[in-house]
Every structure is written in C-alpha cells, then in structure tokens.
Amino acid sequence: VDPSGPAAGLLQAGDVITAALGPGSPRPIRSADQLHDAVQGARNGVVSLQVYSPQGQISRVVNIQMSAQ
C-alpha cells in the first residue's frame, strides 16, 4: 500500500481484496487488471472493496475515496 495513496490507513500489508462492490452482484477480484477496472469504474470517485484480513481472520468492506485525475 502506497503510504501517500488513497488506501493508506485503510488497507494493510497482507490484506486480500476479494471483490468490488457496487450495483448488482459483487465482482470477484482475482487479478490486478480486475482491480484496475473496478477502480476505473468507481462511481463518484469511491470504490468499495470486500477485503479479507488473514491476521484477524475477518472480512470487511473498505470504501476508498479516489483522488481526482
């Protein structure tokens, strides 16, 4: 995680992004390309991700405000 990026403090080393959330069914994230597509398709500049944290053995939703490009 880039310490100066929009996910700083929201994602930790070891976190696994499992899906992008939005209208309709969650979209599985299995590659960097799928994550890129989810970020590019973010509505209102916010991407919602389902994240699994192996350290705590929990899943959570992380909403990331993407910077204007």
mmCIF file of all heavy atoms in Angstrom, residues 6-7 10-11 16-29 34-52 59-67:
data_model
loop_
_atom_site.group_PDB
_atom_site.id
_atom_site.type_symbol
_atom_site.label_atom_id
_atom_site.label_comp_id
_atom_site.label_asym_id
_atom_site.label_seq_id
_atom_site.Cartn_x
_atom_site.Cartn_y
_atom_site.Cartn_z
ATOM 1 N N PRO A 6 -4.544 6.820 -1.729
ATOM 2 C CA PRO A 6 -5.877 6.892 -1.124
ATOM 3 C C PRO A 6 -6.224 5.713 -0.211
ATOM 4 O O PRO A 6 -7.109 5.828 0.630
ATOM 5 C CB PRO A 6 -6.825 6.955 -2.325
ATOM 6 C CG PRO A 6 -6.045 6.420 -3.474
ATOM 7 C CD PRO A 6 -4.608 6.718 -3.179
ATOM 8 N N ALA A 7 -5.528 4.587 -0.343
ATOM 9 C CA ALA A 7 -5.817 3.420 0.502
ATOM 10 C C ALA A 7 -4.968 3.381 1.767
ATOM 11 O O ALA A 7 -5.152 2.504 2.608
ATOM 12 C CB ALA A 7 -5.619 2.132 -0.293
ATOM 13 N N LEU A 10 -6.223 2.369 5.261
ATOM 14 C CA LEU A 10 -7.426 1.560 5.077
ATOM 15 C C LEU A 10 -7.091 0.104 4.760
ATOM 16 O O LEU A 10 -7.798 -0.800 5.186
ATOM 17 C CB LEU A 10 -8.293 2.142 3.949
ATOM 18 C CG LEU A 10 -8.790 3.569 4.172
ATOM 19 C CD1 LEU A 10 -9.480 4.091 2.924
ATOM 20 C CD2 LEU A 10 -9.733 3.615 5.366
ATOM 21 N N LEU A 11 -6.030 -0.083 3.993
ATOM 22 C CA LEU A 11 -5.554 -1.429 3.665
ATOM 23 C C LEU A 11 -4.208 -1.639 4.338
ATOM 24 O O LEU A 11 -3.403 -0.717 4.435
ATOM 25 C CB LEU A 11 -5.407 -1.604 2.146
ATOM 26 C CG LEU A 11 -6.689 -1.507 1.329
ATOM 27 C CD1 LEU A 11 -6.364 -1.603 -0.159
ATOM 28 C CD2 LEU A 11 -7.671 -2.589 1.729
ATOM 29 N N VAL A 16 -6.209 -9.078 1.560
ATOM 30 C CA VAL A 16 -6.532 -9.676 0.256
ATOM 31 C C VAL A 16 -7.849 -9.071 -0.224
ATOM 32 O O VAL A 16 -8.878 -9.216 0.440
ATOM 33 C CB VAL A 16 -6.667 -11.215 0.371
ATOM 34 C CG1 VAL A 16 -7.028 -11.821 -0.979
ATOM 35 C CG2 VAL A 16 -5.383 -11.819 0.920
ATOM 36 N N ILE A 17 -7.815 -8.388 -1.360
ATOM 37 C CA ILE A 17 -9.026 -7.830 -1.954
ATOM 38 C C ILE A 17 -9.733 -8.963 -2.676
ATOM 39 O O ILE A 17 -9.163 -9.571 -3.588
ATOM 40 C CB ILE A 17 -8.691 -6.682 -2.912
ATOM 41 C CG1 ILE A 17 -8.006 -5.556 -2.138
ATOM 42 C CG2 ILE A 17 -9.949 -6.183 -3.624
ATOM 43 C CD1 ILE A 17 -7.380 -4.493 -3.019
ATOM 44 N N THR A 18 -10.956 -9.256 -2.264
ATOM 45 C CA THR A 18 -11.673 -10.399 -2.835
ATOM 46 C C THR A 18 -12.761 -10.006 -3.820
ATOM 47 O O THR A 18 -13.121 -10.798 -4.686
ATOM 48 C CB THR A 18 -12.288 -11.271 -1.726
ATOM 49 O OG1 THR A 18 -13.184 -10.474 -0.938
ATOM 50 C CG2 THR A 18 -11.196 -11.857 -0.835
ATOM 51 N N ALA A 19 -13.321 -8.787 -3.688
ATOM 52 C CA ALA A 19 -14.405 -8.386 -4.583
ATOM 53 C C ALA A 19 -14.558 -6.876 -4.591
ATOM 54 O O ALA A 19 -14.208 -6.193 -3.629
ATOM 55 C CB ALA A 19 -15.723 -9.023 -4.149
ATOM 56 N N ALA A 20 -15.088 -6.372 -5.706
ATOM 57 C CA ALA A 20 -15.506 -4.982 -5.818
ATOM 58 C C ALA A 20 -17.015 -4.963 -5.647
ATOM 59 O O ALA A 20 -17.728 -5.797 -6.217
ATOM 60 C CB ALA A 20 -15.108 -4.409 -7.167
ATOM 61 N N LEU A 21 -17.503 -4.036 -4.836
ATOM 62 C CA LEU A 21 -18.926 -3.959 -4.554
ATOM 63 C C LEU A 21 -19.529 -2.778 -5.297
ATOM 64 O O LEU A 21 -18.888 -1.757 -5.489
ATOM 65 C CB LEU A 21 -19.153 -3.812 -3.053
ATOM 66 C CG LEU A 21 -18.450 -4.856 -2.185
ATOM 67 C CD1 LEU A 21 -18.655 -4.539 -0.720
ATOM 68 C CD2 LEU A 21 -18.952 -6.246 -2.504
ATOM 69 N N GLY A 22 -20.771 -2.935 -5.686
ATOM 70 C CA GLY A 22 -21.479 -1.874 -6.386
ATOM 71 C C GLY A 22 -22.844 -2.375 -6.776
ATOM 72 O O GLY A 22 -23.309 -3.390 -6.246
ATOM 73 N N PRO A 23 -23.489 -1.676 -7.703
ATOM 74 C CA PRO A 23 -24.809 -2.133 -8.150
ATOM 75 C C PRO A 23 -24.737 -3.567 -8.678
ATOM 76 O O PRO A 23 -23.779 -3.940 -9.358
ATOM 77 C CB PRO A 23 -25.169 -1.160 -9.261
ATOM 78 C CG PRO A 23 -24.321 0.044 -9.016
ATOM 79 C CD PRO A 23 -23.066 -0.474 -8.376
ATOM 80 N N GLY A 24 -25.717 -4.358 -8.336
ATOM 81 C CA GLY A 24 -25.709 -5.753 -8.776
ATOM 82 C C GLY A 24 -24.869 -6.612 -7.847
ATOM 83 O O GLY A 24 -24.618 -6.273 -6.702
ATOM 84 N N SER A 25 -24.423 -7.714 -8.362
ATOM 85 C CA SER A 25 -23.637 -8.676 -7.573
ATOM 86 C C SER A 25 -22.212 -8.184 -7.384
ATOM 87 O O SER A 25 -21.679 -7.465 -8.229
ATOM 88 C CB SER A 25 -23.600 -10.024 -8.292
ATOM 89 O OG SER A 25 -24.899 -10.523 -8.444
ATOM 90 N N PRO A 26 -21.575 -8.586 -6.280
ATOM 91 C CA PRO A 26 -20.150 -8.285 -6.120
ATOM 92 C C PRO A 26 -19.355 -8.881 -7.278
ATOM 93 O O PRO A 26 -19.684 -9.965 -7.764
ATOM 94 C CB PRO A 26 -19.777 -8.968 -4.808
ATOM 95 C CG PRO A 26 -21.059 -9.138 -4.077
ATOM 96 C CD PRO A 26 -22.104 -9.327 -5.142
ATOM 97 N N ARG A 27 -18.342 -8.148 -7.740
ATOM 98 C CA ARG A 27 -17.470 -8.641 -8.811
ATOM 99 C C ARG A 27 -16.182 -9.177 -8.204
ATOM 100 O O ARG A 27 -15.448 -8.419 -7.573
ATOM 101 C CB ARG A 27 -17.156 -7.520 -9.799
ATOM 102 C CG ARG A 27 -18.377 -7.067 -10.588
ATOM 103 C CD ARG A 27 -18.050 -5.901 -11.472
ATOM 104 N NE ARG A 27 -17.801 -4.750 -10.595
ATOM 105 C CZ ARG A 27 -17.080 -3.701 -10.930
ATOM 106 N NH1 ARG A 27 -16.520 -3.631 -12.111
ATOM 107 N NH2 ARG A 27 -16.912 -2.710 -10.092
ATOM 108 N N PRO A 28 -15.920 -10.467 -8.382
ATOM 109 C CA PRO A 28 -14.683 -11.035 -7.828
ATOM 110 C C PRO A 28 -13.448 -10.320 -8.378
ATOM 111 O O PRO A 28 -13.418 -9.924 -9.541
ATOM 112 C CB PRO A 28 -14.701 -12.487 -8.302
ATOM 113 C CG PRO A 28 -16.126 -12.769 -8.653
ATOM 114 C CD PRO A 28 -16.699 -11.460 -9.109
ATOM 115 N N ILE A 29 -12.463 -10.140 -7.525
ATOM 116 C CA ILE A 29 -11.169 -9.570 -7.921
ATOM 117 C C ILE A 29 -10.137 -10.675 -7.785
ATOM 118 O O ILE A 29 -9.850 -11.144 -6.684
ATOM 119 C CB ILE A 29 -10.785 -8.367 -7.035
ATOM 120 C CG1 ILE A 29 -11.841 -7.270 -7.094
ATOM 121 C CG2 ILE A 29 -9.400 -7.846 -7.410
ATOM 122 C CD1 ILE A 29 -11.980 -6.576 -8.422
ATOM 123 N N GLN A 34 -8.381 -6.783 -12.957
ATOM 124 C CA GLN A 34 -9.750 -6.675 -12.455
ATOM 125 C C GLN A 34 -9.858 -5.565 -11.416
ATOM 126 O O GLN A 34 -10.856 -4.842 -11.384
ATOM 127 C CB GLN A 34 -10.219 -8.012 -11.871
ATOM 128 C CG GLN A 34 -10.472 -9.064 -12.932
ATOM 129 C CD GLN A 34 -10.813 -10.416 -12.348
ATOM 130 O OE1 GLN A 34 -10.338 -10.792 -11.277
ATOM 131 N NE2 GLN A 34 -11.651 -11.164 -13.053
ATOM 132 N N LEU A 35 -8.845 -5.409 -10.578
ATOM 133 C CA LEU A 35 -8.845 -4.324 -9.603
ATOM 134 C C LEU A 35 -8.777 -2.979 -10.322
ATOM 135 O O LEU A 35 -9.508 -2.047 -9.985
ATOM 136 C CB LEU A 35 -7.687 -4.473 -8.621
ATOM 137 C CG LEU A 35 -7.550 -3.364 -7.586
ATOM 138 C CD1 LEU A 35 -8.815 -3.223 -6.741
ATOM 139 C CD2 LEU A 35 -6.336 -3.617 -6.705
ATOM 140 N N HIS A 36 -7.940 -2.879 -11.313
ATOM 141 C CA HIS A 36 -7.824 -1.645 -12.103
ATOM 142 C C HIS A 36 -9.174 -1.280 -12.713
ATOM 143 O O HIS A 36 -9.599 -0.119 -12.654
ATOM 144 C CB HIS A 36 -6.762 -1.818 -13.194
ATOM 145 C CG HIS A 36 -6.603 -0.617 -14.056
ATOM 146 N ND1 HIS A 36 -7.267 -0.471 -15.244
ATOM 147 C CD2 HIS A 36 -5.860 0.505 -13.891
ATOM 148 C CE1 HIS A 36 -6.947 0.695 -15.787
ATOM 149 N NE2 HIS A 36 -6.100 1.300 -14.981
ATOM 150 N N ASP A 37 -9.859 -2.253 -13.302
ATOM 151 C CA ASP A 37 -11.174 -2.000 -13.900
ATOM 152 C C ASP A 37 -12.172 -1.511 -12.853
ATOM 153 O O ASP A 37 -12.976 -0.610 -13.117
ATOM 154 C CB ASP A 37 -11.706 -3.256 -14.589
ATOM 155 C CG ASP A 37 -10.920 -3.631 -15.836
ATOM 156 O OD1 ASP A 37 -10.137 -2.788 -16.342
ATOM 157 O OD2 ASP A 37 -11.078 -4.778 -16.299
ATOM 158 N N ALA A 38 -12.133 -2.098 -11.667
ATOM 159 C CA ALA A 38 -13.048 -1.690 -10.596
ATOM 160 C C ALA A 38 -12.779 -0.250 -10.169
ATOM 161 O O ALA A 38 -13.710 0.526 -9.961
ATOM 162 C CB ALA A 38 -12.916 -2.627 -9.401
ATOM 163 N N VAL A 39 -11.514 0.116 -10.064
ATOM 164 C CA VAL A 39 -11.151 1.480 -9.676
ATOM 165 C C VAL A 39 -11.579 2.463 -10.767
ATOM 166 O O VAL A 39 -12.147 3.516 -10.472
ATOM 167 C CB VAL A 39 -9.636 1.585 -9.390
ATOM 168 C CG1 VAL A 39 -9.195 3.027 -9.260
ATOM 169 C CG2 VAL A 39 -9.289 0.795 -8.136
ATOM 170 N N GLN A 40 -11.348 2.105 -12.011
ATOM 171 C CA GLN A 40 -11.725 2.986 -13.119
ATOM 172 C C GLN A 40 -13.240 3.175 -13.200
ATOM 173 O O GLN A 40 -13.715 4.213 -13.624
ATOM 174 C CB GLN A 40 -11.186 2.448 -14.445
ATOM 175 C CG GLN A 40 -9.683 2.492 -14.545
ATOM 176 C CD GLN A 40 -9.134 3.896 -14.418
ATOM 177 O OE1 GLN A 40 -9.604 4.825 -15.054
ATOM 178 N NE2 GLN A 40 -8.136 4.061 -13.559
ATOM 179 N N GLY A 41 -14.007 2.166 -12.788
ATOM 180 C CA GLY A 41 -15.455 2.234 -12.846
ATOM 181 C C GLY A 41 -16.100 2.774 -11.582
ATOM 182 O O GLY A 41 -17.330 2.762 -11.459
ATOM 183 N N ALA A 42 -15.305 3.278 -10.663
ATOM 184 C CA ALA A 42 -15.828 3.761 -9.384
ATOM 185 C C ALA A 42 -16.773 4.937 -9.606
ATOM 186 O O ALA A 42 -16.448 5.878 -10.315
ATOM 187 C CB ALA A 42 -14.687 4.176 -8.465
ATOM 188 N N ARG A 43 -17.949 4.852 -9.002
ATOM 189 C CA ARG A 43 -18.929 5.939 -9.090
ATOM 190 C C ARG A 43 -18.612 6.995 -8.046
ATOM 191 O O ARG A 43 -18.256 6.665 -6.907
ATOM 192 C CB ARG A 43 -20.336 5.405 -8.869
ATOM 193 C CG ARG A 43 -20.789 4.507 -9.991
ATOM 194 C CD ARG A 43 -22.216 4.116 -9.771
ATOM 195 N NE ARG A 43 -22.661 3.316 -10.920
ATOM 196 C CZ ARG A 43 -23.902 2.984 -11.116
ATOM 197 N NH1 ARG A 43 -24.831 3.344 -10.262
ATOM 198 N NH2 ARG A 43 -24.231 2.278 -12.179
ATOM 199 N N ASN A 44 -18.739 8.243 -8.422
ATOM 200 C CA ASN A 44 -18.495 9.368 -7.505
ATOM 201 C C ASN A 44 -17.097 9.330 -6.903
ATOM 202 O O ASN A 44 -16.886 9.853 -5.814
ATOM 203 C CB ASN A 44 -19.545 9.401 -6.390
ATOM 204 C CG ASN A 44 -20.947 9.565 -6.930
ATOM 205 O OD1 ASN A 44 -21.170 10.328 -7.868
ATOM 206 N ND2 ASN A 44 -21.887 8.845 -6.368
ATOM 207 N N GLY A 45 -16.184 8.635 -7.576
ATOM 208 C CA GLY A 45 -14.804 8.592 -7.096
ATOM 209 C C GLY A 45 -14.574 7.720 -5.883
ATOM 210 O O GLY A 45 -13.532 7.798 -5.251
ATOM 211 N N VAL A 46 -15.558 6.868 -5.530
ATOM 212 C CA VAL A 46 -15.407 5.977 -4.383
ATOM 213 C C VAL A 46 -15.480 4.536 -4.858
ATOM 214 O O VAL A 46 -16.410 4.156 -5.563
ATOM 215 C CB VAL A 46 -16.505 6.226 -3.319
ATOM 216 C CG1 VAL A 46 -16.377 5.234 -2.178
ATOM 217 C CG2 VAL A 46 -16.437 7.645 -2.804
ATOM 218 N N VAL A 47 -14.494 3.742 -4.488
ATOM 219 C CA VAL A 47 -14.513 2.316 -4.796
ATOM 220 C C VAL A 47 -14.705 1.557 -3.484
ATOM 221 O O VAL A 47 -14.058 1.856 -2.481
ATOM 222 C CB VAL A 47 -13.243 1.861 -5.554
ATOM 223 C CG1 VAL A 47 -11.992 2.056 -4.737
ATOM 224 C CG2 VAL A 47 -13.359 0.436 -6.022
ATOM 225 N N SER A 48 -15.649 0.622 -3.488
ATOM 226 C CA SER A 48 -15.932 -0.202 -2.308
ATOM 227 C C SER A 48 -15.406 -1.604 -2.569
ATOM 228 O O SER A 48 -15.759 -2.224 -3.571
ATOM 229 C CB SER A 48 -17.435 -0.252 -2.035
ATOM 230 O OG SER A 48 -17.908 1.030 -1.721
ATOM 231 N N LEU A 49 -14.575 -2.070 -1.654
ATOM 232 C CA LEU A 49 -13.917 -3.362 -1.823
ATOM 233 C C LEU A 49 -14.207 -4.269 -0.640
ATOM 234 O O LEU A 49 -14.198 -3.817 0.517
ATOM 235 C CB LEU A 49 -12.408 -3.171 -1.945
ATOM 236 C CG LEU A 49 -11.934 -2.257 -3.072
ATOM 237 C CD1 LEU A 49 -10.443 -1.997 -2.936
ATOM 238 C CD2 LEU A 49 -12.270 -2.853 -4.431
ATOM 239 N N GLN A 50 -14.434 -5.539 -0.929
ATOM 240 C CA GLN A 50 -14.501 -6.564 0.113
ATOM 241 C C GLN A 50 -13.065 -7.027 0.336
ATOM 242 O O GLN A 50 -12.378 -7.407 -0.617
ATOM 243 C CB GLN A 50 -15.370 -7.733 -0.343
ATOM 244 C CG GLN A 50 -15.513 -8.841 0.672
ATOM 245 C CD GLN A 50 -16.459 -8.460 1.796
ATOM 246 O OE1 GLN A 50 -17.468 -7.822 1.566
ATOM 247 N NE2 GLN A 50 -16.117 -8.849 2.994
ATOM 248 N N VAL A 51 -12.614 -6.962 1.566
ATOM 249 C CA VAL A 51 -11.216 -7.257 1.892
ATOM 250 C C VAL A 51 -11.168 -8.311 2.988
ATOM 251 O O VAL A 51 -11.885 -8.221 3.986
ATOM 252 C CB VAL A 51 -10.490 -5.970 2.364
ATOM 253 C CG1 VAL A 51 -9.063 -6.264 2.769
ATOM 254 C CG2 VAL A 51 -10.529 -4.908 1.272
ATOM 255 N N TYR A 52 -10.307 -9.314 2.796
ATOM 256 C CA TYR A 52 -10.081 -10.333 3.820
ATOM 257 C C TYR A 52 -8.746 -10.034 4.499
ATOM 258 O O TYR A 52 -7.733 -9.810 3.833
ATOM 259 C CB TYR A 52 -10.047 -11.732 3.197
ATOM 260 C CG TYR A 52 -9.706 -12.803 4.210
ATOM 261 C CD1 TYR A 52 -10.613 -13.182 5.184
ATOM 262 C CD2 TYR A 52 -8.467 -13.424 4.192
ATOM 263 C CE1 TYR A 52 -10.304 -14.154 6.126
ATOM 264 C CE2 TYR A 52 -8.139 -14.397 5.119
ATOM 265 C CZ TYR A 52 -9.068 -14.753 6.092
ATOM 266 O OH TYR A 52 -8.744 -15.712 7.015
ATOM 267 N N SER A 59 -13.415 -10.593 7.297
ATOM 268 C CA SER A 59 -13.675 -9.858 6.065
ATOM 269 C C SER A 59 -14.340 -8.547 6.438
ATOM 270 O O SER A 59 -15.088 -8.474 7.419
ATOM 271 C CB SER A 59 -14.588 -10.660 5.140
ATOM 272 O OG SER A 59 -13.903 -11.768 4.619
ATOM 273 N N ARG A 60 -14.048 -7.525 5.661
ATOM 274 C CA ARG A 60 -14.650 -6.216 5.907
ATOM 275 C C ARG A 60 -14.802 -5.474 4.582
ATOM 276 O O ARG A 60 -14.199 -5.851 3.581
ATOM 277 C CB ARG A 60 -13.812 -5.414 6.880
ATOM 278 C CG ARG A 60 -12.459 -4.993 6.341
ATOM 279 C CD ARG A 60 -11.598 -4.361 7.419
ATOM 280 N NE ARG A 60 -10.450 -3.628 6.911
ATOM 281 C CZ ARG A 60 -9.350 -4.167 6.425
ATOM 282 N NH1 ARG A 60 -9.210 -5.487 6.370
ATOM 283 N NH2 ARG A 60 -8.351 -3.415 5.996
ATOM 284 N N VAL A 61 -15.619 -4.432 4.606
ATOM 285 C CA VAL A 61 -15.777 -3.575 3.436
ATOM 286 C C VAL A 61 -14.954 -2.326 3.662
ATOM 287 O O VAL A 61 -14.991 -1.716 4.735
ATOM 288 C CB VAL A 61 -17.257 -3.201 3.213
ATOM 289 C CG1 VAL A 61 -17.409 -2.192 2.092
ATOM 290 C CG2 VAL A 61 -18.073 -4.450 2.919
ATOM 291 N N VAL A 62 -14.185 -1.956 2.641
ATOM 292 C CA VAL A 62 -13.358 -0.752 2.686
ATOM 293 C C VAL A 62 -13.818 0.163 1.565
ATOM 294 O O VAL A 62 -13.870 -0.247 0.401
ATOM 295 C CB VAL A 62 -11.858 -1.110 2.516
ATOM 296 C CG1 VAL A 62 -11.009 0.126 2.454
ATOM 297 C CG2 VAL A 62 -11.395 -2.034 3.634
ATOM 298 N N ASN A 63 -14.178 1.388 1.911
ATOM 299 C CA ASN A 63 -14.564 2.409 0.930
ATOM 300 C C ASN A 63 -13.394 3.368 0.763
ATOM 301 O O ASN A 63 -12.959 3.990 1.723
ATOM 302 C CB ASN A 63 -15.803 3.170 1.403
ATOM 303 C CG ASN A 63 -16.986 2.252 1.553
ATOM 304 O OD1 ASN A 63 -17.360 1.555 0.623
ATOM 305 N ND2 ASN A 63 -17.564 2.234 2.729
ATOM 306 N N ILE A 64 -12.904 3.463 -0.470
ATOM 307 C CA ILE A 64 -11.720 4.269 -0.741
ATOM 308 C C ILE A 64 -12.111 5.427 -1.656
ATOM 309 O O ILE A 64 -12.629 5.214 -2.750
ATOM 310 C CB ILE A 64 -10.611 3.429 -1.388
ATOM 311 C CG1 ILE A 64 -10.227 2.270 -0.453
ATOM 312 C CG2 ILE A 64 -9.397 4.292 -1.718
ATOM 313 C CD1 ILE A 64 -9.287 1.273 -1.066
ATOM 314 N N GLN A 65 -11.848 6.644 -1.190
ATOM 315 C CA GLN A 65 -12.072 7.842 -2.000
ATOM 316 C C GLN A 65 -10.865 8.008 -2.918
ATOM 317 O O GLN A 65 -9.746 8.226 -2.439
ATOM 318 C CB GLN A 65 -12.238 9.067 -1.089
ATOM 319 C CG GLN A 65 -12.390 10.367 -1.854
ATOM 320 C CD GLN A 65 -13.715 10.442 -2.578
ATOM 321 O OE1 GLN A 65 -14.751 10.248 -1.987
ATOM 322 N NE2 GLN A 65 -13.661 10.723 -3.864
ATOM 323 N N MET A 66 -11.104 7.882 -4.204
ATOM 324 C CA MET A 66 -10.020 8.013 -5.161
ATOM 325 C C MET A 66 -9.774 9.488 -5.428
ATOM 326 O O MET A 66 -10.704 10.288 -5.445
ATOM 327 C CB MET A 66 -10.375 7.295 -6.469
ATOM 328 C CG MET A 66 -10.755 5.829 -6.277
ATOM 329 S SD MET A 66 -9.541 4.844 -5.357
ATOM 330 C CE MET A 66 -8.173 4.885 -6.474
ATOM 331 N N SER A 67 -8.520 9.854 -5.638
ATOM 332 C CA SER A 67 -8.194 11.244 -5.915
ATOM 333 C C SER A 67 -8.624 11.601 -7.332
ATOM 334 O O SER A 67 -8.710 10.743 -8.203
ATOM 335 C CB SER A 67 -6.699 11.483 -5.728
ATOM 336 O OG SER A 67 -5.963 10.619 -6.569
#
